[in-house]
Amino acid sequence: MKISGAEGLIKSLICEGVDTVFGYPGGQIIAVYDKLYDYQKEIKHILVRHEQGAIHAAQGYARSTGKVGVVIVTSGPGAANVVTGLGDALMDSTPLVVITGQVASAFLGTDAFQETDVVAITQQLTKWAVQIRRPEDIPSMVARAFYIASSGRPGPVVLDIAKDAQAGFAEWSHRSCNFIRSYNPHPEIPVSDITEIADMLNNAERPMILAGHGVTIANAEQTLMCVAEKGNIPVATTLLGRSNLPFNHPMHKGMLGMHGNLGPNIATNKADVILAVGMRFDDRITGDVKQYAPDAKIIHVDIDPSELNKIVHAYKAIHGDAGQLLTALLPLMKHRDRDEWLKLFKKCEEIEHREVIDPELHPNKQKMNMGEVISIVSEHAPENSICVTDVGQNQMFAARYFGCRSHRAFISSGGLGTMGFGLPAAIGAKIGAPRREVILFVGDGGLQMTIQELGTIMAYDVNVKIVLLNNSFLGNVRQWQELFFQGRYSQTEMTNPDFVRLASAYGIAGENVTVREELEGAINRMFDHKGAYLLNISIDADDMIFPMVPAGGSINTIILNPTTKLSL
């Protein structure tokens, strides 16, 4: 029996295991939405309030579940509104299939109403983008899209489907895709390379493991922990790898990078062997590349060969999967006494506690800091909670002070740094993991970029806990203006609405927290509440996130606080 291309699309999605999609209807995708009406038991559609909200919610869903996030939007402005999310997903290796409507084939190239060249716009921001003009091509293209999005280094794929392909009829059958000629997403790591890496780590005096988001994607956190324990090797994580090890694990030495912990940054430039697995050496990690890890033999393992030797030249570059590498290494690792090496981290921790952490968590002033708020929230949060952040100071403070204790517990916009990511991503994360507490840390600037998604929370009763760290500034930019532009606060002060009353208009409970004495009780009420909750917490406008490596500077030069700079 022949069926419409629109129905064939829905049936193909079901065959790929899709049970949830995020989207917004429109004229050029209406045939798909009409058929979706017949499959409401099989696929739950989340109607967001803006297409950017759809793609960020799909990212949150994908990151909390490990599944492919699916987005359906119309042509023209609908398609254009997901572009930011595509760039975000590509940089952060998030698997998405984004389905866009398109004008009928006969009108392509005529500047028809709501026509845009979606493929041309999105090719540089996707793993694959294709336009479909015939209904019979839909099943094979859907299967191919899911294979590409989820294999190798995951990422976004766009299927731009012409209106006549949706409306036309064709025979339908589904066949999963597991091979594409010239595409090798599962490279084998030679045994000789694994043996050599194990020997290098076992014989090193000052080894380190730098663990990135690729470890999370490979579901290899437990294996990473076993490798570190068996080899007695300290581990530092990237921003997106924050939940690779429990925050209090003795081998977990903290976060790398611009606002990372002192120990990992200092130790990087003293290590003799570095195993960098599932991370890409972006500029926020390395600082000045010429001064980065001068004494280390760097072993770089990544599933994406384009990342190897792109920024940092590796002594040994391995094209392979993080999970495969760690699993093969584990039986070859040997325990060594590295007390002197580990003492360096202990010394750095003592300095950081004295100069940064203790003043942040126990401030000698009336106004509250982001660090103390996040730390207290973390103490009260259930063990398997998911921390979602927006971008800015709230993101960096959350990465430092929220104690991740479980799998896929930290979701943030890393490479693109997209303000407005947090609220819809938290919605998607909660829909993907309904039994886990999802806590969003967001600033007043980022919240207002996608604040309309409070309507999505209202419509679907999404139990997200929103911790609004409100300093009435674009805090991260203000910090740079304070430190590097002589305190000239150009266009960073915010005039804000009453956020609690605004949330109340959407049926979301909340309260204002203006003094420290109110904080703990408010946090308890938030977690006790059965639905979504917003805490609007007044934060010291002068609060700044430290330590800080100045952009482009060496990781040996670290600003510990406004008056203390450490140079080693």
Side-chain angles (χ1 to χ4, degrees):
M1 181 185 296
K2 292 184 177 182
I3 61 174
S4 71
E7 186 171 10
L9 172 65
I10 302 301
K11 289 171 70 70
S12 295
L13 292 177
I14 293 169
C15 287
E16 292 293 341
V18 174
D19 57 16
T20 304
V21 300
F22 302 85
Y24 205 96
Q28 307 303 337
I29 198 69
I30 196 168
V32 171
Y33 273 87
D34 180 63
K35 282 300 174 184
L36 195 59
Y37 189 88
D38 297 330
Y39 290 89
Q40 296 179 64
K41 291 183 179 179
E42 292 83 0
I43 294 182
K44 182 177 182 179
H45 180 279
I46 304 299
L47 176 63
V48 295
R49 285 3 185 202
H50 190 281
E51 291 89 354
Q52 185 175 351
I55 195 164
H56 291 329
Q59 287 177 270
Y61 176 90
R63 297 267 289 274
S64 71
T65 63
K67 297 169 65 175
V68 176
V70 179
V71 177
I72 304 177
V73 296
T74 193
S75 64
N81 282 340
V82 302
V83 168
T84 297
L86 289 172
D88 196 287
L90 185 69
M91 293 190 75
D92 288 353
S93 308
T94 305
L96 300 178
V97 170
V98 177
I99 297 160
T100 62
Q102 185 54 274
V103 300
S105 302
F107 294 98
L108 289 169
T110 67
D111 290 334
F113 178 66
Q114 292 193 334
E115 179 193 3
T116 54
D117 191 342
V118 172
V119 172
I121 292 170
T122 63
Q123 271 183 329
Q124 299 303 312
L125 299 173
T126 56
K127 287 187 73 176
W128 184 51
V130 65
Q131 188 175 86
I132 303 174
R133 302 185 185 184
R134 305 190 309 164
E136 56 265 36
D137 294 333
I138 288 175
S140 62
M141 293 297 100
V142 170
R144 190 181 181 98
F146 274 81
Y147 178 59
I148 292 173
S150 61
S151 59
R153 179 179 179 177
V157 169
V158 166
L159 299 178
D160 185 48
I161 308 179
K163 193 171 185 178
D164 49 327
Q166 301 169 40
F169 284 77
E171 298 285 347
W172 177 86
S173 65
H174 181 79
R175 180 181 297 173
S176 295
C177 178
N178 55 25
F179 173 78
I180 299 173
R181 190 174 61 182
S182 77
Y183 175 57
N184 180 25
H186 306 295
E188 286 293 322
I189 303 174
V191 174
S192 58
D193 285 341
I194 294 168
T195 302
E196 183 180 355
I197 293 169
D199 288 342
M200 291 175 67
L201 291 171
N202 287 332
N203 294 321
E205 297 295 327
R206 301 180 304 281
M208 278 184 72
I209 298 174
L210 312 184
H213 190 205
V215 174
T216 307
I217 293 169
N219 297 314
E221 299 102 317
Q222 185 70 29
T223 312
L224 170 68
M225 182 169 65
C226 292
V227 168
E229 289 174 349
K230 190 174 180 183
N232 200 27
I233 300 174
V235 178
T237 69
T238 63
L239 174 68
L240 296 188
R242 291 303 294 135
S243 61
N244 281 335
L245 285 180
F247 78 102
N248 55 358
H249 190 278
M251 288 294 105
H252 188 183
K253 300 305 179 183
M255 184 173 70
L256 298 157
M258 177 176 282
H259 293 294
N261 293 99
L262 184 61
N265 282 333
I266 294 299
T268 298
N269 276 15
K270 295 183 180 298
D272 57 358
V273 174
I274 291 176
L275 173 61
V277 57
M279 53 89 74
R280 59 187 181 85
F281 288 112
D282 70 280
D283 59 294
R284 290 296 174 98
I285 293 290
T286 65
D288 183 359
V289 176
K290 295 179 181 178
Q291 301 182 62
Y292 182 78
D295 300 326
K297 290 181 178 179
I298 295 175
I299 306 158
H300 188 189
V301 183
D302 203 279
I303 196 67
D304 183 354
S306 70
E307 294 295 348
L308 301 174
N309 294 320
K310 183 173 81 173
I311 297 171
V312 171
H313 181 76
Y315 176 83
K316 194 164 190 63
I318 304 293
H319 178 206
D321 177 74
Q324 181 193 350
L325 182 279
L326 291 168
T327 299
L329 269 185
L330 181 56
L332 303 179
M333 297 304 299
K334 298 177 181 178
H335 187 85
R336 282 196 55 183
D337 181 1
R338 294 192 169 95
D339 287 350
E340 288 303 313
W341 175 228
L342 295 173
K343 283 180 182 177
L344 171 64
F345 292 92
K346 182 66 174 176
K347 179 181 178 182
C348 289
E349 288 167 6
E350 291 171 355
I351 295 171
E352 187 172 352
H353 268 275
R354 182 179 66 248
E355 300 292 338
V356 181
I357 295 174
D358 285 342
E360 184 63 50
L361 300 188
H362 307 97
N364 185 25
K365 56 184 177 180
Q366 186 175 2
K367 296 180 179 178
M368 287 178 284
N369 291 342
M370 292 188 190
E372 64 173 313
V373 171
I374 293 167
S375 179
I376 296 172
V377 172
S378 177
E379 290 172 4
H380 286 74
E383 186 167 319
N384 70 340
S385 296
I386 297 174
C387 170
V388 181
T389 84
D390 204 77
V391 167
Q393 287 181 320
N394 64 88
Q395 176 188 37
M396 294 295 105
F397 274 110
R400 284 179 55 82
Y401 293 109
F402 188 87
C404 295
R405 287 161 281 186
S406 58
H407 176 59
R408 295 183 179 273
F410 187 84
I411 298 174
S412 190
S413 170
L416 202 62
T418 304
M419 287 181 67
F421 171 90
L423 181 59
I427 293 170
K430 183 63 178 181
I431 290 171
R435 296 181 180 179
R436 299 176 69 179
E437 196 78 87
V438 173
I439 306 158
L440 168 65
F441 294 103
V442 62
D444 44 304
L447 179 61
Q448 292 181 86
M449 285 194 170
T450 50
I451 199 167
Q452 73 282 343
E453 300 308 328
L454 293 176
T456 307
I457 290 177
M458 174 182 66
Y460 298 96
D461 192 22
V462 185
N463 181 7
V464 173
K465 308 306 186 189
I466 304 169
V467 181
L468 172 54
L469 302 166
N470 187 349
N471 57 11
S472 297
F473 266 94
L474 300 177
N476 216 36
V477 182
R478 182 206 168 277
Q479 176 167 335
W480 283 52
Q481 289 172 334
E482 171 74 19
L483 295 175
F484 308 119
F485 292 88
Q486 297 78 51
R488 292 158 58 89
Y489 306 134
S490 177
Q491 303 304 315
T492 46
E493 188 170 3
M494 303 285 289
T495 300
N496 289 325
D498 185 327
F499 288 107
V500 172
R501 290 180 64 191
L502 184 58
S504 178
Y506 285 99
I508 298 170
E511 60 184 292
N512 296 305
V513 181
T514 57
V515 294
R516 184 170 287 109
E517 290 72 24
E518 300 170 341
L519 181 59
E520 191 153 358
I523 291 171
N524 284 325
R525 287 189 290 275
M526 177 181 72
F527 283 124
D528 288 342
H529 186 72
K530 299 304 181 183
Y533 206 89
L534 184 144
L535 287 186
N536 178 37
I537 302 176
S538 298
I539 297 295
D540 184 0
D542 295 328
D543 195 14
M544 291 197 279
I545 175 70
F546 292 108
M548 181 178 186
V549 178
S554 165
I555 58 173
N556 270 342
T557 301
I558 300 174
I559 303 173
L560 291 176
N561 55 54
T563 60
T564 305
K565 181 183 290 187
L566 183 67
S567 296
L568 296 176

